[in-house]
Amino acid sequence: MDPYLVTFLPSHITLKAEREETILEISRRAGVDIEGPCGGRGRCGKCKVLVKKSKGISEPSEEERQILKALISSGYRLACQAVLRDETTISIPKAEKCSEVRTNKGIKGGFPKLRPVSFVEWELEESDIKACPSKEEIILRGLKRKGFKREAKVELELLKGLPPLHELLEKRLIFVLLKDGEILKIAKDPIQKIYGIAFDIGTTTIGGYLVDLMEGQVAGSLARPNAQRAFGHDVMSRVSFSMEHPKGLTLLRSSLLECMNKMVEELCDQIDIRPDMICEGVLVGNTVMHHIFLGFPLKDLAHAPYRPLTTKAIRLRAKETGLFLSETGHVNLLPPKAAFLGSDIVAAVLATGIHKRKEPSLLMDIGTNAEIVLGNRERLLCTSAAASPAFEGAHLKCGTWSMPGAIERVEVEGGGQEIRLKTIGGLTPKGICGSGVISALASFLKAGLISKTGRLSHKIPSSRLREGEEGLEILLYKGEGGEEVVITEKEIGEIMLAKGAIKAGIQVLRRHWKGEEISQVTVTGSFGASLGPSDLKEIGLIPLGVADTIKTVENAAGIGACMALLGVRKRKEIERIVSMMEYVELSQDPEFEELLVEGLLLEGA
Amino acid sequence: MESAEEVLEGLKEAIIRGNRKGALELLQRSLELKVDPQKIVDDYMIPALNVVGKRFEERKIFIPEMMIAAKSMQACLDVIKPLLPKEEGKKKGVVVIGTVFGDLHDIGKNLVVMLLENSGFEVIDLGVNVPPERFVEEARRVNAQVVGISSLLTTGDPYVKKTVETLRASEIGDRIKIICGGAALTPNFVYSIGADSYAPDAASGVSKIKEILQIDS
């Protein structure tokens, strides 16, 4: 067929297409952000676009008719469904533009003081050169002379950057940076500054941390949306994408790397350093992200028996992975535990230290999936419960990511007469994010406006309670332009299912545990930590009888990754944690279904 | 003292509301009052489940409440089943059902199984992670009219397709009816791979199966 042009408004990006393609596919190539939460399946309707004019476009599919209804006649289409074959101009509705969803806030601290690197210097002697046949051994001999006892190893790569021996002899000084016996850098000049970088790669958000290795401190941090969102919001839709498209994995991988390299630059700009001053990297993330970064096929993560390619730690030259750090830098991928339990939760265990405590603790990373660990210094049980994208506010009628303008808190007063909303950034409400939904449920429950089976009460003022397309709904906000934010009973049902699954996961682990009662609960994950501990109790996510106080740590996985950045010892500890962890598969547990149903009700019992 | 009628109505209501403990107590009392077990099942328990199904379709209740009600129903059935005479009655149809290869999720499928059984179908549940060939073998063995395929993960699509194709290519391919359902599937996909029907959820699964078998009630 003849090539044709496609223009995206309002950015006025135009590009050439040469075959029949969906608007979403073309937009990805054009670098235009269109949300694709369901991975282009025509289920969620979030990729709605307005076709201004077109000389060749497919007829609306059944999915489009169902989702868009009357909007079709005004020219709206789903980008993932509409196939183009001739010149077309498309306008992306403002509210749908994901480029506006930027988590600009840095990552909150609470970092432990990390042990910095040690630093050795010595004078190069003629006798060193006489005694050794190679540059490598000269360095090792010098280290030995400085009282370095253990067998050290020098990465040959590090020696490549060193000036020739005759020049070194003139200046005579050698500087070496060490951490737990691992040589990070060798130079002829005093090493002023040296940095490491840690990444926590989530499906939705990537956290990045720049660590000053000399000081042992976090020097900068950043959170950015994972650019792979265009290929599907939840992790499984990305796996599908990698399987259905011949270049799927490559596309996912390059999108991830581009995002990470951009973050490296941004982090460097924050404190005015260069990426080549970063000599070490640590990556944690869910197992799918781990596999994508490494270019491992994803099929085994998506099908029973669900096995990752490896559960060992991996150390690679940064430049071989496509991550732009120092020429001689390395990247460490901490080991995942299982297909649904990534190195992120393993790192979170390291950060919270529950594997060292005598009393049992419960650690949960709550997101679309919930990873749960229960244990102490003797034994760690772990599992993963599929919650639901609904839990994070996605797939909800008025759901949105935690972006500026998202409702994050809901308070009810006067029996529902007054509903007070708090949005991120204090802006006019644009939608509601997961923590807002949970907060709303907790407040309605407290005020008796919702039953424990999830029904909206008729005590809610009639101005707010109404019959919508999908059953009863409650109106939280109505703007001057008529824009509305509602929560439907159906959505409450979805949240209950997600909550029930997580609670059942905890209960299954408790039954396997059989020991002392849990004395400490920690909730982490950028979503999990945004939830109010009292809200979690109100909706009954934490079983009764479990420790009363719930602690939230915003980024335990990131903290764990930073800790691992500062040395082999911590990385060995991570490996020990992985071998301590016993994985309990929920879907095969005979009690899970029963416990799930028990855990559905919105009650603290 | 309350009449048997009151107790039975209470039982029906308890199942609808998903009050398992209450339902079990009332069932026990009905049995003590010497009500015919078959009558309890036919006139109160199954109608209770029908009410639940109807409310679900009307969007008056949602999945959690349906699951809770179904669990109460199941608990009562476990008690009363041994007391029923061996069934000789004609079944509405034979359905072979399972979760697609590669997928271990079965909560939705189990719900469909229960609803079907209570609607008078004979159901052969193949469990989870079922390879395409097993669907064919079992459907042939029991002479099923319908095969139900459940798939939760979006990554299951290729296997749903393969299962439908394998069924169609088999000797029973032209007479078997195939219905697919589960969170990951879309009607477009299901029809494009050659299945006969699509059900977005458990409750509609039963009515869709009746529809493709042209059964009225």
Side-chain angles (χ1 to χ4, degrees), chain A residues 156-196:
Chain A
L156 298 182
E157 197 70 21
L158 291 172
L159 293 173
K160 275 163 67 177
L162 214 56
L165 285 169
H166 68 269
E167 278 180 31
L168 286 177
L169 265 174
E170 276 169 32
K171 285 192 78 173
R172 292 192 164 249
L173 281 175
I174 300 278
F175 299 89
V176 174
L177 273 178
L178 288 159
K179 180 68 190 176
D180 299 347
E182 194 175 21
I183 299 175
L184 297 178
K185 195 176 169 108
I186 309 170
K188 70 173 171 47
D189 301 308
I191 300 161
Q192 299 291 354
K193 278 286 173 199
I194 186 161
Y195 293 88

Side-chain angles (χ1 to χ4, degrees), chain A residues 398-441:
Chain A
C398 302
T400 167
W401 299 99
S402 14
M403 62 176 200
I407 298 171
E408 58 171 350
R409 286 254 159 267
V410 177
E411 278 168 35
V412 179
E413 269 168 35
Q417 289 300 334
E418 198 188 328
I419 295 183
R420 273 212 300 263
L421 308 171
K422 186 171 164 266
T423 63
I424 296 175
L427 305 177
T428 23
K430 290 199 183 99
I432 186 160
C433 64
S435 52
V437 176
I438 306 288
S439 158
L441 286 195

Side-chain angles (χ1 to χ4, degrees), chain A residues 90-115:
Chain A
I90 292 146
S91 169
I92 299 167
K94 195 159 172 269
E96 313 286 325
K97 256 177 36 190
C98 118
S99 55
E100 290 183 3
V101 191
R102 289 280 184 243
T103 25
N104 252 321
K105 61 171 184 174
I107 295 171
K108 276 177 214 149
F111 287 102
K113 171 82 180 157
L114 305 162
R115 278 196 322 136

Side-chain angles (χ1 to χ4, degrees), chain B residues 32-178:
Chain B
E32 280 159 16
L33 291 168
K34 303 270 182 261
V35 185
D36 174 19
Q38 192 68 57
K39 184 178 152 72
I40 299 178
V41 175
D42 292 347
D43 296 351
Y44 296 92
M45 289 172 53
I46 290 174
L49 205 61
N50 290 340
V51 170
V52 173
K54 191 160 164 283
R55 287 193 184 168
F56 182 81
E57 276 177 34
E58 288 168 352
R59 301 180 191 278
K60 294 246 169 60
I61 63 166
F62 298 94
I63 296 170
E65 275 189 89
M66 185 158 95
M67 285 177 77
I68 294 165
K71 277 286 159 189
S72 322
M73 176 78 174
Q74 192 63 57
C76 291
L77 280 174
D78 291 345
V79 173
I80 206 165
K81 255 196 180 150
L83 307 175
L84 297 176
K86 263 261 179 272
E87 282 187 48
E88 304 289 336
K90 204 176 165 303
K91 288 284 179 188
K92 280 188 183 145
V94 182
V95 181
V96 165
I97 192 168
T99 301
V100 75
F101 187 62
D103 196 340
L104 298 179
H105 296 86
D106 63 355
I107 290 175
K109 183 214 66 193
N110 294 347
L111 203 51
V112 178
V113 170
M114 203 191 83
L115 294 173
L116 280 173
E117 282 179 343
N118 290 305
S119 310
F121 287 90
E122 185 182 338
V123 185
I124 290 86
D125 182 356
L126 305 181
V128 297
N129 198 13
V130 183
E133 297 72 24
R134 258 212 80 212
F135 277 102
V136 178
E137 265 164 45
E138 289 295 316
R140 192 164 41 203
R141 192 178 62 81
V142 302
N143 199 16
Q145 282 106 332
V146 179
V147 170
I149 304 166
S150 166
S151 174
L152 183 93
L153 303 176
T154 48
T155 47
D157 285 6
Y159 293 99
V160 176
K161 183 162 183 254
K162 178 119 188 284
T163 308
V164 174
E165 283 169 357
T166 311
L167 278 162
R168 284 286 178 239
S170 72
E171 62 198 64
I172 54 168
D174 45 4
R175 62 179 159 87
I176 197 87
K177 299 283 185 193
I178 306 172

